[in-house]
mmCIF file of all heavy atoms in Angstrom:
data_model
loop_
_atom_site.group_PDB
_atom_site.id
_atom_site.type_symbol
_atom_site.label_atom_id
_atom_site.label_comp_id
_atom_site.label_asym_id
_atom_site.label_seq_id
_atom_site.Cartn_x
_atom_site.Cartn_y
_atom_site.Cartn_z
ATOM 1 N N ALA V 1 70.577 102.051 117.531
ATOM 2 C CA ALA V 1 70.711 101.409 116.239
ATOM 3 C C ALA V 1 71.989 101.987 115.591
ATOM 4 O O ALA V 1 72.440 101.575 114.579
ATOM 5 C CB ALA V 1 69.540 101.475 115.321
ATOM 6 N N VAL V 2 72.656 102.966 116.168
ATOM 7 C CA VAL V 2 73.744 103.630 115.562
ATOM 8 C C VAL V 2 74.898 102.724 115.491
ATOM 9 O O VAL V 2 75.361 102.223 116.656
ATOM 10 C CB VAL V 2 74.121 104.999 116.278
ATOM 11 C CG1 VAL V 2 75.418 105.497 115.739
ATOM 12 C CG2 VAL V 2 72.967 105.935 115.973
ATOM 13 N N VAL V 3 75.539 102.503 114.397
ATOM 14 C CA VAL V 3 76.781 101.653 114.455
ATOM 15 C C VAL V 3 77.906 102.600 113.918
ATOM 16 O O VAL V 3 77.658 103.369 113.023
ATOM 17 C CB VAL V 3 76.649 100.453 113.564
ATOM 18 C CG1 VAL V 3 75.632 99.372 114.132
ATOM 19 C CG2 VAL V 3 76.200 100.790 112.109
ATOM 20 N N PRO V 4 79.110 102.385 114.357
ATOM 21 C CA PRO V 4 80.192 103.241 113.962
ATOM 22 C C PRO V 4 80.405 103.277 112.377
ATOM 23 O O PRO V 4 80.948 104.276 111.908
ATOM 24 C CB PRO V 4 81.503 102.666 114.553
ATOM 25 C CG PRO V 4 80.828 101.952 115.866
ATOM 26 C CD PRO V 4 79.559 101.377 115.374
ATOM 27 N N GLY V 5 80.137 102.286 111.676
ATOM 28 C CA GLY V 5 80.375 102.281 110.222
ATOM 29 C C GLY V 5 79.367 103.177 109.565
ATOM 30 O O GLY V 5 79.656 103.595 108.345
ATOM 31 N N LYS V 6 78.425 103.694 110.217
ATOM 32 C CA LYS V 6 77.437 104.704 109.562
ATOM 33 C C LYS V 6 77.860 106.056 109.714
ATOM 34 O O LYS V 6 77.229 107.085 109.265
ATOM 35 C CB LYS V 6 76.092 104.490 110.012
ATOM 36 C CG LYS V 6 75.452 103.136 109.632
ATOM 37 C CD LYS V 6 74.133 103.267 109.310
ATOM 38 C CE LYS V 6 73.485 101.807 108.956
ATOM 39 N NZ LYS V 6 72.460 102.026 108.058
ATOM 40 N N LEU V 7 79.020 106.303 110.422
ATOM 41 C CA LEU V 7 79.578 107.658 110.650
ATOM 42 C C LEU V 7 80.936 107.603 110.110
ATOM 43 O O LEU V 7 81.699 106.762 110.267
ATOM 44 C CB LEU V 7 79.664 107.973 112.148
ATOM 45 C CG LEU V 7 78.384 108.278 112.856
ATOM 46 C CD1 LEU V 7 78.588 108.280 114.316
ATOM 47 C CD2 LEU V 7 77.790 109.602 112.392
ATOM 48 N N THR V 8 81.276 108.592 109.152
ATOM 49 C CA THR V 8 82.530 108.841 108.508
ATOM 50 C C THR V 8 83.180 110.055 108.661
ATOM 51 O O THR V 8 82.327 111.136 108.538
ATOM 52 C CB THR V 8 82.461 108.386 106.985
ATOM 53 O OG1 THR V 8 81.740 107.256 106.816
ATOM 54 C CG2 THR V 8 83.820 108.379 106.419
ATOM 55 N N ALA V 9 84.387 110.281 109.146
ATOM 56 C CA ALA V 9 85.006 111.560 109.306
ATOM 57 C C ALA V 9 86.188 111.683 108.303
ATOM 58 O O ALA V 9 87.066 110.855 108.358
ATOM 59 C CB ALA V 9 85.493 111.777 110.695
ATOM 60 N N ILE V 10 86.077 112.579 107.443
ATOM 61 C CA ILE V 10 87.068 112.753 106.435
ATOM 62 C C ILE V 10 87.806 114.051 106.408
ATOM 63 O O ILE V 10 87.219 115.115 106.607
ATOM 64 C CB ILE V 10 86.386 112.651 104.932
ATOM 65 C CG1 ILE V 10 85.631 111.366 104.808
ATOM 66 C CG2 ILE V 10 87.359 112.747 103.881
ATOM 67 C CD1 ILE V 10 84.684 111.134 103.627
ATOM 68 N N ILE V 11 89.114 114.012 106.332
ATOM 69 C CA ILE V 11 89.879 115.145 106.170
ATOM 70 C C ILE V 11 90.562 115.246 104.934
ATOM 71 O O ILE V 11 91.354 114.227 104.489
ATOM 72 C CB ILE V 11 91.011 115.222 107.396
ATOM 73 C CG1 ILE V 11 90.311 115.273 108.712
ATOM 74 C CG2 ILE V 11 91.942 116.349 107.207
ATOM 75 C CD1 ILE V 11 91.301 115.218 109.875
ATOM 76 N N ASP V 12 90.226 116.375 104.161
ATOM 77 C CA ASP V 12 90.946 116.427 102.758
ATOM 78 C C ASP V 12 92.197 117.351 102.933
ATOM 79 O O ASP V 12 92.122 118.445 103.437
ATOM 80 C CB ASP V 12 89.831 117.092 101.810
ATOM 81 C CG ASP V 12 90.413 117.068 100.424
ATOM 82 O OD1 ASP V 12 91.427 116.560 100.155
ATOM 83 O OD2 ASP V 12 89.603 117.628 99.630
ATOM 84 N N LEU V 13 93.293 116.825 102.561
ATOM 85 C CA LEU V 13 94.620 117.552 102.699
ATOM 86 C C LEU V 13 95.058 118.069 101.413
ATOM 87 O O LEU V 13 96.128 118.370 101.184
ATOM 88 C CB LEU V 13 95.635 116.641 103.278
ATOM 89 C CG LEU V 13 95.311 115.991 104.665
ATOM 90 C CD1 LEU V 13 96.372 114.914 105.044
ATOM 91 C CD2 LEU V 13 95.219 117.096 105.684
ATOM 92 N N THR V 14 94.180 118.285 100.565
ATOM 93 C CA THR V 14 94.612 118.749 99.085
ATOM 94 C C THR V 14 95.081 120.125 99.174
ATOM 95 O O THR V 14 94.486 121.001 99.882
ATOM 96 C CB THR V 14 93.332 118.821 98.268
ATOM 97 O OG1 THR V 14 92.683 117.541 98.019
ATOM 98 C CG2 THR V 14 93.680 119.335 96.866
ATOM 99 N N GLY V 15 96.228 120.368 98.637
ATOM 100 C CA GLY V 15 96.738 121.783 98.516
ATOM 101 C C GLY V 15 97.582 122.251 99.672
ATOM 102 O O GLY V 15 97.934 123.398 99.643
ATOM 103 N N LEU V 16 97.675 121.468 100.678
ATOM 104 C CA LEU V 16 98.417 121.900 101.951
ATOM 105 C C LEU V 16 99.909 121.642 101.796
ATOM 106 O O LEU V 16 100.365 120.757 101.105
ATOM 107 C CB LEU V 16 98.032 121.069 103.144
ATOM 108 C CG LEU V 16 96.507 121.304 103.561
ATOM 109 C CD1 LEU V 16 96.188 120.361 104.744
ATOM 110 C CD2 LEU V 16 96.163 122.679 103.722
ATOM 111 N N SER V 17 100.723 122.540 102.377
ATOM 112 C CA SER V 17 102.155 122.459 102.258
ATOM 113 C C SER V 17 102.707 122.279 103.642
ATOM 114 O O SER V 17 101.932 121.930 104.501
ATOM 115 C CB SER V 17 102.667 123.841 101.639
ATOM 116 O OG SER V 17 102.313 124.879 102.648
ATOM 117 N N GLU V 18 103.982 122.198 103.643
ATOM 118 C CA GLU V 18 104.697 121.829 104.995
ATOM 119 C C GLU V 18 104.242 122.968 105.921
ATOM 120 O O GLU V 18 104.250 124.068 105.749
ATOM 121 C CB GLU V 18 106.182 121.907 104.686
ATOM 122 C CG GLU V 18 107.024 121.313 105.989
ATOM 123 C CD GLU V 18 108.390 121.030 105.657
ATOM 124 O OE1 GLU V 18 108.928 121.577 104.622
ATOM 125 O OE2 GLU V 18 109.071 120.376 106.336
ATOM 126 N N GLY V 19 104.189 122.471 107.275
ATOM 127 C CA GLY V 19 103.833 123.381 108.397
ATOM 128 C C GLY V 19 102.580 122.973 109.118
ATOM 129 O O GLY V 19 102.044 121.877 108.966
ATOM 130 N N ARG V 20 102.211 123.789 110.076
ATOM 131 C CA ARG V 20 100.944 123.510 110.934
ATOM 132 C C ARG V 20 99.717 123.967 110.161
ATOM 133 O O ARG V 20 99.672 125.120 109.485
ATOM 134 C CB ARG V 20 101.132 124.254 112.204
ATOM 135 C CG ARG V 20 102.284 123.777 113.078
ATOM 136 C CD ARG V 20 102.070 124.364 114.592
ATOM 137 N NE ARG V 20 103.151 123.686 115.361
ATOM 138 C CZ ARG V 20 103.209 122.595 115.955
ATOM 139 N NH1 ARG V 20 102.106 121.752 115.706
ATOM 140 N NH2 ARG V 20 104.109 122.088 116.658
ATOM 141 N N HIS V 21 98.636 123.245 110.392
ATOM 142 C CA HIS V 21 97.508 123.607 109.720
ATOM 143 C C HIS V 21 96.268 123.171 110.683
ATOM 144 O O HIS V 21 96.340 122.343 111.474
ATOM 145 C CB HIS V 21 97.176 122.730 108.494
ATOM 146 C CG HIS V 21 98.245 123.029 107.441
ATOM 147 N ND1 HIS V 21 98.363 124.057 106.644
ATOM 148 C CD2 HIS V 21 99.441 122.239 107.122
ATOM 149 C CE1 HIS V 21 99.340 124.049 105.842
ATOM 150 N NE2 HIS V 21 100.097 122.899 106.136
ATOM 151 N N ARG V 22 95.136 124.002 110.571
ATOM 152 C CA ARG V 22 93.894 123.673 111.174
ATOM 153 C C ARG V 22 92.954 123.345 110.017
ATOM 154 O O ARG V 22 92.598 124.193 109.376
ATOM 155 C CB ARG V 22 93.294 124.877 111.941
ATOM 156 C CG ARG V 22 92.183 124.687 112.826
ATOM 157 C CD ARG V 22 91.914 125.912 113.646
ATOM 158 N NE ARG V 22 90.872 125.462 114.709
ATOM 159 C CZ ARG V 22 89.600 125.920 114.542
ATOM 160 N NH1 ARG V 22 89.167 126.818 113.706
ATOM 161 N NH2 ARG V 22 88.653 125.568 115.429
ATOM 162 N N VAL V 23 92.552 122.099 110.040
ATOM 163 C CA VAL V 23 91.876 121.543 108.843
ATOM 164 C C VAL V 23 90.406 121.086 109.329
ATOM 165 O O VAL V 23 90.264 120.580 110.261
ATOM 166 C CB VAL V 23 92.559 120.260 108.341
ATOM 167 C CG1 VAL V 23 92.064 119.833 107.013
ATOM 168 C CG2 VAL V 23 94.103 120.591 108.203
ATOM 169 N N PRO V 24 89.481 121.435 108.449
ATOM 170 C CA PRO V 24 88.090 121.035 108.798
ATOM 171 C C PRO V 24 87.876 119.629 108.471
ATOM 172 O O PRO V 24 88.508 119.042 107.601
ATOM 173 C CB PRO V 24 87.151 121.895 107.814
ATOM 174 C CG PRO V 24 88.174 122.203 106.753
ATOM 175 C CD PRO V 24 89.526 122.266 107.147
ATOM 176 N N VAL V 25 86.989 118.981 109.281
ATOM 177 C CA VAL V 25 86.688 117.626 109.245
ATOM 178 C C VAL V 25 85.210 117.490 108.720
ATOM 179 O O VAL V 25 84.299 118.206 109.277
ATOM 180 C CB VAL V 25 86.697 116.919 110.740
ATOM 181 C CG1 VAL V 25 86.286 115.410 110.508
ATOM 182 C CG2 VAL V 25 88.108 117.016 111.213
ATOM 183 N N LYS V 26 84.936 116.782 107.665
ATOM 184 C CA LYS V 26 83.608 116.512 107.168
ATOM 185 C C LYS V 26 83.062 115.233 107.658
ATOM 186 O O LYS V 26 83.655 114.174 107.475
ATOM 187 C CB LYS V 26 83.640 116.406 105.674
ATOM 188 C CG LYS V 26 82.294 116.314 105.043
ATOM 189 C CD LYS V 26 82.304 116.145 103.415
ATOM 190 C CE LYS V 26 80.949 116.058 103.010
ATOM 191 N NZ LYS V 26 80.943 115.676 101.467
ATOM 192 N N VAL V 27 82.034 115.390 108.467
ATOM 193 C CA VAL V 27 81.365 114.195 109.039
ATOM 194 C C VAL V 27 80.209 113.724 108.277
ATOM 195 O O VAL V 27 79.297 114.584 108.074
ATOM 196 C CB VAL V 27 81.041 114.416 110.540
ATOM 197 C CG1 VAL V 27 80.407 113.216 111.081
ATOM 198 C CG2 VAL V 27 82.266 114.799 111.386
ATOM 199 N N VAL V 28 80.176 112.512 107.731
ATOM 200 C CA VAL V 28 79.106 112.051 106.931
ATOM 201 C C VAL V 28 78.206 111.147 107.914
ATOM 202 O O VAL V 28 78.731 110.151 108.339
ATOM 203 C CB VAL V 28 79.600 111.214 105.718
ATOM 204 C CG1 VAL V 28 78.455 110.731 104.885
ATOM 205 C CG2 VAL V 28 80.544 112.073 104.777
ATOM 206 N N ASN V 29 77.017 111.526 108.047
ATOM 207 C CA ASN V 29 76.151 110.905 109.024
ATOM 208 C C ASN V 29 75.016 110.236 108.256
ATOM 209 O O ASN V 29 74.260 110.781 107.657
ATOM 210 C CB ASN V 29 75.429 112.002 109.988
ATOM 211 C CG ASN V 29 74.525 111.363 111.032
ATOM 212 O OD1 ASN V 29 74.487 110.116 111.162
ATOM 213 N ND2 ASN V 29 73.887 112.237 111.630
ATOM 214 N N GLN V 30 75.158 108.909 108.367
ATOM 215 C CA GLN V 30 74.145 108.129 107.572
ATOM 216 C C GLN V 30 73.184 107.445 108.559
ATOM 217 O O GLN V 30 72.724 106.258 108.341
ATOM 218 C CB GLN V 30 74.718 106.953 106.742
ATOM 219 C CG GLN V 30 75.590 107.716 105.642
ATOM 220 C CD GLN V 30 76.340 106.590 104.781
ATOM 221 O OE1 GLN V 30 76.638 105.538 105.276
ATOM 222 N NE2 GLN V 30 76.796 106.968 103.740
#
């Protein structure tokens, strides 16, 4: 019954500057 719309992966880029970054991904599982 899992449909792709019930999973969301969000990356928040607040406060990042120019350059390389390792950013966490928040997965919302409904």
Side-chain angles (χ1 to χ4, degrees):
V2 171
V3 293
K6 295 216 174 206
L7 288 167
T8 310
I10 301 169
I11 297 178
D12 189 0
L13 300 173
T14 302
L16 296 181
S17 59
E18 188 171 18
R20 294 194 178 278
H21 301 279
R22 186 171 190 251
V23 187
V25 179
K26 181 182 178 187
V27 177
V28 179
N29 180 10
Q30 297 174 339

